[in-house]
Amino acid sequence: MMTLAISSSVEAGASLWQHLFGFEIPATEKIARTLAVYLGLAVIMRLAGKRQLAQLNSFDLIVMLLVSNVVQNAIIGPDNSVGGGLLGAVVLVGFNSVLERVASLSTRTTMIFEGTSTTLVSDGQIQEGQVRRTGLRDTEVISALRHQGANAVGDVRRATLEPGGSISVELTRDAENATYGELRQAVLDLQRHLDERLSAFERSDRGPLGGDGVPR
């Protein structure tokens, strides 16, 4: 009886281990599924444009949540094991890391994989054609500019939508915030100017006489 109990316990442990970490589909199929879905989504996001990354409205958020559920079964297939899930995660992270390194090899590969930046504002004027092409609205652009420190569109010399979806803003000189170093230098220059004016005033006030009224 003792031998049967030990044997049953060992079999149960082996069965649990197999159920948790054993692949229910071949590993090669799991890898192929993961890569196919990754590349498919990458192409879809590339065609959808940078707007999907720049500003997510409520509809975009719904789509993103639904997409994750739609492609889930395509990745895991009939495999719900822990080992299959970990293998898929390793493939996703590893393949993404490889693509990032390939994309950064040169300017040309960066343009192919990520695209180019798009000018949204130039010399205080919104570039309507470019904004429409990216799928953004003027209100979204203005909101992004304010988050970057611009009080108005006229304060912006240039604003671009980067390939990664971020909006970079270059303010005009008058609209830029002064740094501590610039303020300190301005105070020193003002102090030097006042000292020079005061010295010149004292010299002119003495005239040809000394400070005690005796000719020199």
Side-chain angles (χ1 to χ4, degrees), residues 130-203:
Q130 299 282 57
V131 172
R132 297 293 177 268
R133 187 168 64 84
T134 58
L136 293 170
R137 296 189 295 269
D138 288 356
T139 54
E140 293 175 323
V141 174
I142 293 174
S143 176
L145 297 180
R146 287 175 176 171
H147 279 90
Q148 296 284 349
N151 294 321
V153 179
D155 295 337
V156 179
R157 194 180 79 83
R158 182 180 178 86
T160 56
L161 178 61
E162 303 298 337
S166 62
I167 296 178
S168 60
V169 177
E170 182 182 351
L171 300 176
T172 60
R173 183 61 180 172
D174 293 338
E176 290 181 354
N177 294 326
T179 64
Y180 173 79
E182 291 173 336
L183 290 176
R184 184 172 182 275
Q185 186 60 45
V187 171
L188 292 176
D189 291 341
L190 178 61
Q191 184 177 1
R192 187 183 306 107
H193 177 71
L194 291 176
D195 290 343
E196 292 174 354
R197 293 296 301 272
L198 181 61
S199 297
F201 176 77
E202 290 177 349
R203 290 195 298 270

Side-chain angles (χ1 to χ4, degrees), residues 92-110:
L92 282 175
V93 174
F95 189 64
N96 182 71
S97 178
V98 170
L99 282 186
E100 286 182 347
R101 284 168 171 74
V102 171
S104 61
L105 289 177
S106 65
T107 304
R108 181 177 179 82
T109 55
T110 301

Side-chain angles (χ1 to χ4, degrees), residues 3-209:
T3 303
L4 291 176
I6 295 176
S7 177
S8 298
S9 177
V10 171
E11 290 178 358
S15 177
L16 177 61
W17 182 267
Q18 177 64 26
H19 182 71
L20 287 176
F21 297 101
F23 294 158
E24 298 177 13
I25 62 175
T28 52
E29 180 181 343
K30 169 69 71 173
I31 295 174
R33 283 174 173 270
T34 304
L35 294 179
V37 172
Y38 179 95
L39 292 174
L41 288 178
V43 171
I44 292 173
M45 294 299 295
R46 182 75 170 83
L47 295 177
K50 296 185 288 290
R51 182 205 183 283
Q52 302 297 329
L53 302 175
Q55 299 286 335
L56 288 178
N57 57 35
S58 57
F59 300 107
D60 297 328
L61 182 59
I62 292 174
V63 171
M64 297 295 286
L65 293 175
L66 290 177
V67 164
S68 64
N69 287 326
V70 168
V71 302
Q72 178 181 355
N73 291 334
I75 293 178
I76 65 175
D79 186 354
N80 294 319
S81 65
V82 175
L86 292 177
L87 176 61
V90 169
V91 172
L92 282 175
V93 174
F95 189 64
N96 182 71
S97 178
V98 170
L99 282 186
E100 286 182 347
R101 284 168 171 74
V102 171
S104 61
L105 289 177
S106 65
T107 304
R108 181 177 179 82
T109 55
T110 301
M111 292 176 56
I112 293 174
F113 282 93
E114 299 183 2
T116 58
S117 60
T118 302
T119 301
L120 303 178
V121 178
S122 179
D123 295 328
Q125 298 293 325
I126 295 180
Q127 305 300 300
E128 298 291 347
Q130 299 282 57
V131 172
R132 297 293 177 268
R133 187 168 64 84
T134 58
L136 293 170
R137 296 189 295 269
D138 288 356
T139 54
E140 293 175 323
V141 174
I142 293 174
S143 176
L145 297 180
R146 287 175 176 171
H147 279 90
Q148 296 284 349
N151 294 321
V153 179
D155 295 337
V156 179
R157 194 180 79 83
R158 182 180 178 86
T160 56
L161 178 61
E162 303 298 337
S166 62
I167 296 178
S168 60
V169 177
E170 182 182 351
L171 300 176
T172 60
R173 183 61 180 172
D174 293 338
E176 290 181 354
N177 294 326
T179 64
Y180 173 79
E182 291 173 336
L183 290 176
R184 184 172 182 275
Q185 186 60 45
V187 171
L188 292 176
D189 291 341
L190 178 61
Q191 184 177 1
R192 187 183 306 107
H193 177 71
L194 291 176
D195 290 343
E196 292 174 354
R197 293 296 301 272
L198 181 61
S199 297
F201 176 77
E202 290 177 349
R203 290 195 298 270
S204 63
D205 185 55
R206 290 174 182 176
L209 301 177

